Amino acid sequence: MYNKVLFLSILFLLQIFKFFPHEGMWIPSLVKAFENDMQAMGMRLSAEDIYDVNSSSIKDAIIHFNGGCTAELVSSKGLLLTNHHCGYSQIQSHSSLEKDYLKYGFWASNKSEELSNPGLTASRVVRIEDVTNTVLFETEGLADKERYSKIQTTINKLIADAQTGTHYTAKIKAFNYGNDYYMIVKETFKDVRLVGAPPNSIGKFGGDTDNWVWPRHTGDFSVFRIYSDQNNEPNEYSESNVPYTPLHFLPVSMKKRSVGDFTMVYGFPGTTEQHLTSRNLSYIMDKERPARIEMREKSLSVIDASMRSSDLLRIKYASKQARIANGWKKWIGQVGGLKTVDAIQIKLNREKEYNDMALSNQEWGKKYGRVINDMNVLVDRYKDSDFAYSMVIEYLYVGPELFKRAREISKFLSNYSTLEENGELDNEIEKQTKLSKGFFKNYDNATDKRIFELLTEEYVEQMGDSPLGSILKNNSVKDLAEIIYEKSILTSELRFNKFMEKLSKNSFNKLKNKDLGYILWMETNDRFIKNIVPEVRVYRASMDRLLKTYVAGKLEMFPDANHWPDANSSMRITYGKLEGSAPHDGMRYIEHTNIDGIITKNNSGNPDYELLPRMRKLAAAKDYGDYGQDGELWVCFTGSNHTTGGNSGSPVLDADGDLLGINFDRSWESTMSDFMFDKNRCRNIMVDIRYVLWVIDIYSGASHLVDEMTLVE
Ligand code: ARG
Ligand code: GLU
């Protein structure tokens, strides 16, 4: 009898755990609904500690870093942590052969040495408001066009009302494809200075070899500081600005960690696509991703060789290489993961369940019975346009860089007369010259030419029967490359400057008629803008409309399932546990790594594991300061938190809201979670904050920064 009770209660517990959602990215203002769940997992905070509009809360320490990554405030003087790869272009922009901050790191020894970064922003969320009822008021039953314009009018009014009399900016975003709307009010700081960065051999340790891979040993962090005006409000860069005093900053956890600890990631996840139909997912897995992977493989083969050939090229191409390689490797992992779990079959099963449910009731049948089929029809109809769109993005926007110059010059010259009339020409010429200078600083003609050759060939092949434009049709790629990289103003600073010196009303025409590089860009871009983009726009709008219905159906017909709105770059929290995984048969991932692993990897001789001598010295001496745990210095750890791109730099908080580490990646087996979360495989990767402090304090001697923080035992 006793055994039976025990058995039943274990069964009951298992049931609870089974339903416990690690999957999902939740809106902080709605966290009350999960408070019980989170507390059952060990959290000692209340929903109000996490998000509160009336008084300060953890939310106020969470920063949207330059609109892409996440960062967190860790001192009363505006000290900000994010990833090394999030601050990479800032670190690179301050680097040169003489001051090689990429290679040796950078530490400001006092505030006057902190480096300004024009254009870099840091935003805080002031509040998140559910405005669904107002936005959708009396829109039911309207025709699409009217409905859209009514919604837009309401949105504009709400935004204007929210902004009036404040220095805040408001945005209204659709959630669940327009089933819900939220207003997000933000305060954006514009003076954000670089305080410190570890050398690449720490911040980017493992490079592309380890990117998206566990076990990991990357010290992926950099340090910035937000400055405000004397009233603690945002201001453009100014010497009179002072360090910003945040409403809340995160205490740093020095507590012992162990498997099963509660973890929560708070940040700005970019995009997920959990609701794609099986047909759409097949297209992505079998066609779109493989083609993009192929394009990037070609660029990378050239860039990698150049970077190995000289220090100068290594610095020039570092940031670009990282960007291209990151997507490339993620996609390979995604496709692999989705295949392994047979995501298509899972989707088909879910779709059958959905359709069966819809057919079980007349009203549901009417509303939801056809929607999956309609989505599949749409995919079939538009997938060629969608594919062409992706290929042009890879070719014109990720491929050879002369196209970037073409875009900039085209924008400028098409405004020539207006600029002249308004007397703004000289100003603009100066701006263009600066732009070109910045561009050519990180450009190498031979490298770009080789990329051009390979990618043009690949692009032509991938586009198949699609029309290409006269230049590509009538010339061999080799000949084109010879001419363009000898003669075009897009591929040489000298030629560009000469062109600018002799600038006249006629210049644009000359360029359009004579410069093969420009003509090629123009033809490809015209086709893109006139044919491909409009098609894809219609496709996406129609798909979003169907997705709205589809999601509404899920919410209505499966009210008890675990529903979360796809990521849309708005603030979210996700929670789980500190834990490893067993992603392959016969193989288990331990949940943390330590400093010894850095040395082992370095011993392999792979250049991605290069170290400066100091790391080997400190590791050999086991000099861990106060940052070790049971004789080990943890470097990274994994958790079952559902994250995606944009969560880079996000704080990982413990049960008390103290900072455990900084999120920076997922394991390769997990990258599929943008489409489908698998709780056995999907793990996020974080760098332990104690390793971060060790690097700042013991490795780099910047202990004044640690002194600024609040450490809790
Ligand atoms: N995979 C991580 C992310 O998506 C880190 C990228 C930076 N690191 C690199 N080796 N490229 O952003
Ligand atoms: N490194 C990613 C970023 O830049 C986070 C990793 C992920 O996609 O989960 O946001």
Side-chain angles (χ1 to χ4, degrees):
M1 178 64 194
Y2 176 74
N3 269 346
K4 198 169 169 199
V5 172
L6 188 71
F7 176 74
L8 281 177
S9 54
I10 288 177
L11 205 70
F12 176 69
L13 274 177
L14 282 176
Q15 284 297 321
I16 291 181
F17 278 115
K18 201 174 115 209
F19 287 113
F20 177 75
H22 291 281
E23 172 177 347
M25 304 174 180
W26 311 100
I27 302 171
S29 51
L30 306 184
V31 76
K32 195 81 192 164
F34 305 96
E35 195 182 33
N36 282 342
D37 256 340
M38 296 168 91
Q39 287 171 346
M41 284 190 67
M43 186 180 78
R44 289 183 284 271
L45 299 163
S46 68
E48 292 73 24
D49 293 329
I50 296 172
Y51 176 92
D52 198 343
V53 264
N54 301 315
S55 55
S56 68
S57 61
I58 295 175
K59 147 184 95 65
D60 297 307
I62 316 300
I63 297 293
H64 208 177
F65 187 80
N66 221 14
C69 284
T70 307
E72 53 275 3
L73 288 154
V74 289
S75 92
S76 60
K77 298 193 191 76
L79 202 64
L80 195 64
L81 294 178
T82 186
N83 287 148
H84 188 258
H85 76 262
C86 295
Y88 205 65
S89 59
Q90 283 77 34
I91 302 165
Q92 186 195 8
S93 76
H94 295 294
S95 299
S96 59
L97 278 177
E98 299 76 47
K99 290 189 199 159
D100 195 342
Y101 298 149
L102 294 177
K103 185 155 183 182
Y104 298 106
F106 163 76
W107 296 99
S109 53
N110 56 56
K111 297 203 179 66
S112 70
E113 286 179 15
E114 297 176 359
L115 300 170
S116 80
N117 303 288
L120 177 62
T121 60
S123 312
R124 175 182 79 89
V125 170
V126 177
R127 63 177 196 273
I128 304 169
E129 239 175 84
D130 185 346
V131 291
T132 312
N133 290 338
T134 318
V135 170
L136 296 183
F137 184 65
E138 290 185 346
T139 58
E140 192 74 15
L142 292 183
D144 277 347
K145 219 169 156 186
E146 274 171 88
R147 194 183 132 84
Y148 177 82
S149 101
K150 186 157 194 317
I151 289 178
Q152 222 38 54
T153 313
T154 315
I155 285 181
N156 292 342
K157 181 168 175 336
L158 284 173
I159 289 179
D161 288 351
Q163 293 184 159
T164 307
T166 73
H167 61 274
Y168 301 149
T169 49
K171 235 190 198 158
I172 292 180
K173 278 185 182 250
F175 286 64
N176 280 324
Y177 303 92
N179 284 297
D180 303 294
Y181 286 86
Y182 287 84
M183 176 157 73
I184 297 149
V185 180
K186 280 186 172 178
E187 178 179 39
T188 297
F189 294 88
K190 294 175 179 152
D191 184 354
V192 185
R193 302 184 196 171
L194 178 64
V195 174
N200 267 1
S201 61
I202 290 175
K204 203 178 186 289
F205 180 79
D208 285 327
T209 307
D210 278 7
N211 193 24
W212 301 112
V213 166
W214 184 258
R216 195 62 162 278
H217 298 84
T218 316
D220 198 342
F221 76 95
S222 56
V223 190
F224 288 79
R225 191 188 302 281
I226 299 180
Y227 281 77
S228 62
D229 69 10
Q230 308 284 336
N231 301 321
N232 211 33
E233 287 186 359
N235 196 12
E236 297 293 336
Y237 171 84
S238 154
E239 279 197 33
S240 64
N241 284 349
V242 294
Y244 165 64
T245 310
L247 296 169
H248 180 77
F249 65 86
L250 301 176
V252 171
S253 168
M254 300 289 281
K255 291 168 246 181
K256 204 166 163 162
R257 287 100 164 97
S258 49
V259 172
D261 284 356
F262 174 83
T263 56
M264 169 168 94
V265 178
Y266 210 148
F268 295 86
T271 326
T272 52
E273 296 179 279
Q274 61 179 313
H275 302 295
L276 297 187
T277 62
S278 50
R279 184 111 31 116
N280 206 349
L281 194 61
S282 297
Y283 152 73
I284 289 176
M285 287 166 64
D286 299 336
K287 175 130 175 119
E288 197 254 13
R289 289 288 134 103
R292 295 184 83 157
I293 289 167
E294 185 70 35
M295 295 280 272
R296 290 193 180 203
E297 223 140 72
K298 301 232 142 112
S299 300
L300 287 169
S301 69
V302 179
I303 295 176
D304 288 346
S306 289
M307 285 177 71
R308 274 194 300 272
S309 74
S310 90
D311 272 352
L312 187 63
L313 289 182
R314 177 180 55 76
I315 294 178
K316 281 186 177 195
Y317 277 86
S319 193
K320 292 182 252 190
Q321 192 273 356
R323 197 167 43 84
I324 298 171
N326 196 40
W328 162 75
K329 195 164 179 189
K330 173 169 74 176
W331 295 332
I332 297 175
Q334 266 173 358
V335 174
L338 291 167
K339 281 193 177 145
T340 306
V341 304
D342 202 353
I344 298 299
Q345 192 54 51
I346 296 176
K347 286 253 171 202
L348 284 168
N349 297 346
R350 289 185 191 162
E351 286 166 7
K352 180 167 179 336
E353 229 180 291
Y354 185 101
N355 283 335
D356 287 350
M357 189 61 101
L359 289 180
S360 71
N361 161 322
Q362 231 184 17
E363 193 201 322
W364 287 349
K366 244 197 350 242
K367 282 199 284 189
Y368 308 125
R370 296 189 45 84
V371 66
I372 292 176
N373 187 56
D374 289 349
M375 288 199 279
N376 284 337
V377 169
L378 206 63
V379 172
D380 288 343
R381 159 135 192 240
Y382 284 104
K383 64 178 190 264
D384 289 345
S385 306
D386 185 86
F387 184 72
Y389 183 92
S390 292
M391 285 304 100
V392 176
I393 293 291
E394 288 300 320
Y395 185 50
L396 289 193
Y397 287 81
V398 188
E401 287 196 289
L402 83 153
F403 295 138
K404 181 170 178 211
R405 288 271 60 221
R407 259 195 307 281
E408 280 162 1
I409 292 168
S410 161
K411 239 191 274 159
F412 160 51
L413 290 180
S414 52
N415 284 331
Y416 190 92
S417 316
T418 326
L419 289 166
E420 199 173 35
E421 273 161 34
N422 298 346
E424 290 164 1
L425 200 53
D426 287 346
N427 247 344
E428 191 57 31
I429 290 178
E430 199 177 311
K431 220 164 102 194
Q432 289 298 322
T433 313
K434 241 198 203 148
L435 263 178
S436 119
K437 217 181 161 118
F439 173 88
F440 285 110
K441 174 173 175 262
N442 288 330
Y443 171 86
D444 175 61
N445 204 51
T447 305
D448 208 53
K449 181 177 175 194
R450 188 73 195 122
I451 296 176
F452 175 85
E453 289 170 353
L454 291 181
L455 282 213
T456 306
E457 268 163 16
E458 185 65 30
Y459 172 74
V460 171
E461 192 178 322
Q462 292 286 358
M463 292 297 271
D465 304 330
S466 317
L468 290 169
S470 65
I471 294 289
L472 281 180
K473 251 194 320 222
N474 302 334
N475 295 278
S476 85
V477 172
K478 264 242 148 348
D479 293 347
L480 263 184
E482 288 310 321
I483 301 170
I484 289 175
Y485 285 83
E486 276 292 311
K487 299 237 159 76
S488 170
I489 65 156
L490 307 174
T491 56
S492 138
E493 190 169 13
L494 206 73
R495 287 194 288 272
F496 176 75
N497 287 343
K498 274 204 190 129
F499 175 81
M500 292 298 271
E501 272 163 29
K502 289 199 239 139
L503 200 64
S504 74
K505 263 204 165 65
N506 264 336
S507 300
F508 200 20
N509 277 336
K510 259 200 229 144
L511 186 69
K512 286 199 260 191
N513 294 326
K514 289 225 172 92
D515 192 305
L516 277 194
Y518 190 85
I519 300 173
L520 170 59
W521 174 79
M522 195 172 58
E523 287 187 352
T524 314
N525 191 57
D526 273 1
R527 180 148 279 118
F528 184 56
I529 302 295
K530 290 199 189 115
N531 303 342
I532 303 173
V533 171
E535 283 273 298
V536 169
R537 248 194 222 132
V538 174
Y539 176 37
R540 291 190 182 157
S542 320
M543 187 57 95
D544 279 359
R545 260 196 307 273
L546 292 175
L547 278 165
K548 176 171 187 270
T549 306
Y550 180 52
V551 173
K554 285 190 174 179
L555 294 169
E556 186 175 352
M557 300 190 294
F558 304 90
D560 297 328
N562 177 30
H563 299 293
W564 54 279
D566 263 328
N568 58 359
S569 293
S570 67
M571 189 179 229
R572 304 290 177 94
I573 59 175
T574 164
Y575 55 102
K577 289 189 232 168
L578 197 169
E579 59 179 323
S581 58
H584 304 287
D585 184 34
M587 183 176 173
R588 190 166 281 285
Y589 284 161
I590 307 256
E591 79 296 340
H592 80 275
T593 58
N594 70 32
I595 192 172
D596 298 337
I598 295 182
I599 304 303
T600 311
K601 282 180 173 173
N602 176 244
N603 288 340
S604 74
N606 178 338
D608 277 343
Y609 300 130
E610 234 161 56
L611 293 174
L612 299 176
R614 183 162 174 78
M615 180 62 87
R616 287 194 76 100
K617 204 169 116 202
L618 292 175
K622 295 199 179 299
D623 184 355
Y624 305 155
D626 296 331
Y627 305 108
Q629 171 173 328
D630 303 328
E632 257 187 289
L633 183 63
W634 284 37
V635 177
C636 294
F637 60 93
T638 58
S640 46
N641 305 285
H642 190 180
T643 53
T644 187
N647 269 126
S648 271
S650 296
V652 185
L653 306 170
D654 71 3
D656 302 305
D658 299 331
L659 184 63
L660 284 173
I662 309 174
N663 182 73
F664 70 94
D665 213 1
R666 279 170 292 167
S667 66
W668 228 19
E669 293 82 0
S670 318
T671 50
M672 55 176 281
S673 68
D674 293 344
F675 299 103
M676 187 179 282
F677 187 86
D678 180 306
K679 71 180 181 7
N680 297 318
R681 297 164 65 87
C682 294
R683 298 291 177 265
N684 67 317
I685 303 180
M686 309 149 263
V687 54
D688 194 309
I689 198 67
R690 294 170 302 179
Y691 179 65
V692 170
L693 296 194
W694 180 83
V695 171
I696 295 178
D697 180 0
I698 301 202
Y699 185 96
S700 315
S703 52
H704 59 288
L705 296 176
V706 177
D707 294 342
E708 248 189 86
M709 305 178 201
T710 303
L711 311 193
V712 288
E713 292 288 339

